[in-house]
């Protein structure tokens, strides 16, 4: 018998927000629609992964317990849809050129580099599949494989355009889930490291400037579960709409159990 247990993380596509067009929320949303996350899961870890469903900022296995039913129902699930992705690209000011590549008004294509850890078989597979899917959609992405230590350092010092790293956490609490990668690669860094190049302490959302760092830090604070749920609802709605990273899939372990020898699992 195969026993499936959650690992508490998965690969996420992360952006350098100083690199155009990833500073445009419409482009980030288009990319979420343009990647088949079920395919991503299969190529990341075979049957030991599933394409992300909720895109709430917390793992699918945790999200229903963190959020209200109303918020859960309201989340955009970004189900694979190339027509919707194309419409968003057009709203962002892009048109397909003669080669089928998305180009801005100056004719420049989205010619960027996707950095990934070569020695992480799961994350490198997720990155290469995302590259292939986005290029099929009309981007012009090249790959740069690095040893995992260098790939992580490249994110810390902003020496990347697109990259892949983990999201979520093996925890029932909102803080640990929402922390990575948004806070982990912005404010939870050594002095002088700029990470995702995103100022989450002064984040513009719905016409206001909010401290997203503080919201993440305090989402699980206190003992009032109703207040915790209200905070988590707000964060999930924000992350779902702003698409600050694309949670490609959630991984699990699939372990064989010989029930002739061990019973009761």
């Amino acid at each position: 018998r195969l026993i499936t247990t959650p690992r508490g993380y998965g690969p996420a596509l992360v952006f350098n927000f100083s690199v155009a067009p990833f500073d445009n929320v419409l482009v980030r949303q288009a990319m979420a629609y343009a990647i088949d996350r079920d395919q991503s899961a299969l190529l990341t870890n075979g049957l030991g992964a599933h394409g992300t469903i909720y895109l709430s900022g917390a793992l699918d296995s945790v999200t229903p317990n963190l959020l209200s039913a109303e918020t859960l129902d309201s989340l955009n699930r970004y189900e694979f849809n190339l027509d919707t992705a194309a419409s968003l690209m057009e709203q962002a000011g892009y048109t397909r050129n003669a080669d089928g590549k998305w180009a801005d008004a100056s004719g420049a294509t989205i010619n960027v580099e996707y950095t990934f850890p070569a020695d992480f078989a799961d994350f490198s597979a997720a990155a290469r599949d995302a590259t292939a899917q986005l290029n099929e959609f009309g981007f012009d992405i090249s790959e740069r494989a690095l040893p995992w230590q260098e790939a992580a350092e490249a994110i810390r010092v902003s020496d990347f355009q697109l990259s892949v790293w983990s999201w979520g956490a093996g925890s029932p609490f909102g803080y640990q889930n929402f922390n990575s990668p948004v806070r982990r690669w912005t404010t939870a860094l050594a002095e002088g490291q700029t990470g995702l190049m995103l100022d989450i302490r002064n984040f513009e959302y719905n016409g206001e400037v909010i401290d997203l760092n503080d919201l993440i830090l305090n989402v699980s604070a206190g003992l009032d579960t109703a207040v915790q749920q209200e905070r988590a609802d707000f964060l999930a709605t924000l992350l779902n709409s702003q698409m600050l990273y694309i949670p490609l899939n959630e991984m699990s372990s699939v372990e064989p159990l010989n029930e002739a020898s061990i019973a009761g699992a």
Side-chain angles (χ1 to χ4, degrees):
R1 179 181 170 194
L2 295 177
I3 306 295
T4 301
T5 57
R7 288 191 184 181
Y9 71 97
L13 186 159
V14 297
F15 304 99
N16 184 330
F17 286 87
S18 69
V19 176
F22 308 129
D23 55 345
N24 188 326
V25 65
L26 295 174
V27 172
R28 300 194 301 270
Q29 291 173 341
M31 293 169 69
Y33 276 112
I35 297 174
D36 183 337
R37 297 189 299 278
D38 289 334
Q39 175 177 307
S40 171
L42 181 64
L43 295 180
T44 296
N45 202 41
L47 300 180
H50 71 266
T52 314
I53 298 169
Y54 298 115
L55 290 91
S56 67
L59 296 175
D60 288 341
S61 53
V62 175
T63 292
N65 294 326
L66 281 180
L67 307 183
S68 67
E70 293 77 15
T71 297
L72 194 67
D73 289 343
S74 73
L75 295 177
N76 184 349
R77 300 194 181 188
Y78 294 90
E79 294 176 351
F80 181 60
N81 190 317
L82 294 179
D83 290 336
T84 302
S87 176
L88 287 164
M89 291 298 295
E90 290 166 357
Q91 291 177 50
Y94 284 81
T95 56
R96 279 197 172 99
N97 64 17
D99 297 322
K101 299 295 184 182
W102 291 105
D104 63 18
S106 72
T109 61
I110 304 176
N111 184 4
V112 295
E113 190 175 65
Y114 200 141
T115 304
F116 62 88
D119 34 357
F120 287 4
D122 46 9
F123 282 15
S124 61
R128 300 196 69 187
D129 174 61
T131 296
Q133 291 199 53
L134 290 170
N135 282 346
E136 181 69 21
F137 174 60
F139 283 29
D140 192 12
I141 303 171
S142 57
E143 301 170 350
R144 178 161 66 112
L146 295 171
W148 75 264
Q149 298 93 334
E150 293 181 28
E153 183 65 12
I155 300 176
R156 294 187 190 100
V157 300
S158 311
D159 182 23
F160 77 103
Q161 295 173 316
L162 295 173
S163 192
V164 60
W165 215 262
S166 59
W167 70 286
S171 167
F173 295 104
Y175 163 69
Q176 285 90 340
N177 275 271
F178 292 123
N179 184 66
S180 186
V182 175
R183 231 190 120 260
R184 176 182 181 181
W185 299 108
T186 53
T187 57
L189 293 169
E191 185 176 353
Q193 294 180 338
T194 49
L196 306 182
M197 297 290 287
L198 179 67
D199 185 2
I200 65 169
R201 289 192 173 96
N202 299 281
F203 187 78
E204 293 187 20
Y205 178 63
N206 284 350
E208 297 182 16
V209 177
I210 63 173
D211 188 338
L212 184 52
N213 182 70
D214 184 69
L215 290 172
I216 294 172
L217 277 173
N218 291 293
V219 64
S220 302
L223 299 176
D224 190 329
T225 55
V227 172
Q228 291 174 350
Q229 185 178 79
E230 184 178 348
R231 295 174 186 150
D233 282 348
F234 181 82
L235 271 176
T237 301
L238 182 155
L239 293 171
N240 181 259
S241 66
Q242 297 301 297
M243 202 48 53
L244 299 181
Y245 63 95
I246 301 177
L248 297 171
N249 61 73
E250 181 175 342
M251 295 173 61
S252 55
S253 291
V254 182
E255 308 293 348
L257 180 75
N258 185 343
E259 292 190 307
S261 302
I262 302 174

